[in-house]
């Protein structure tokens, strides 16, 4: 199986934590997603940071359109690979 990863980009940590928690309920994800803070180079201000939720989908069973809509509920988006 190939390594398929979805990256959801969220505006703040609270949204990223909520998304990571709800992913399991909504999509039946068993593996806990990873949350990563992504700041622009040289930016220390939390206001300028984005939060990423990394989700592995080795079986390619998650619908990317549904993930797009899901991330948009928190004012985020799914990053294309």
């Amino acid at each position: 199986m190939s390594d398929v990863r979805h990256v959801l980009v969220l505006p703040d940590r609270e949204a990223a934590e909520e998304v990571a928690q709800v992913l399991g309920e909504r999509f039946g994800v068993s593996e806990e997603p990873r949350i990563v803070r992504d700041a622009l180079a040289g930016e220390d201000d939390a206001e300028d940071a984005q939060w990423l939720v990394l989700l592995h989908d080795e079986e390619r069973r998650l619908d990317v359109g549904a993930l797009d809509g899901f991330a948009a509920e928190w004012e985020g988006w799914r990053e294309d690979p």
Side-chain angles (χ1 to χ4, degrees):
M1 283 184 247
S2 64
D3 181 33
V4 177
R5 184 180 329 171
H6 300 286
V7 178
L8 306 181
V9 182
L10 288 302
D12 57 51
R13 183 180 186 150
E14 184 177 317
E17 289 173 345
E18 287 179 29
V19 162
Q21 182 178 22
V22 176
L23 270 167
E25 299 165 10
R26 178 110 33 117
F27 293 95
V29 175
S30 59
E31 182 179 328
E32 186 173 337
R34 204 169 136 213
I35 299 173
V36 178
R37 180 178 181 267
D38 183 39
L40 298 173
E43 295 292 334
D44 290 329
D45 189 357
E47 296 278 329
D48 295 326
Q50 295 175 329
W51 291 82
L52 309 178
V53 176
L54 307 177
L55 176 64
H56 290 280
D57 182 23
E58 289 84 11
E59 297 175 7
R60 298 177 187 244
R61 64 178 193 82
L62 299 175
D63 179 89
V64 294
L67 286 174
D68 286 337
F70 177 71
E73 292 176 30
W74 281 271
E75 299 181 12
W77 66 90
R78 183 186 55 83
E79 191 75 27
D80 285 325

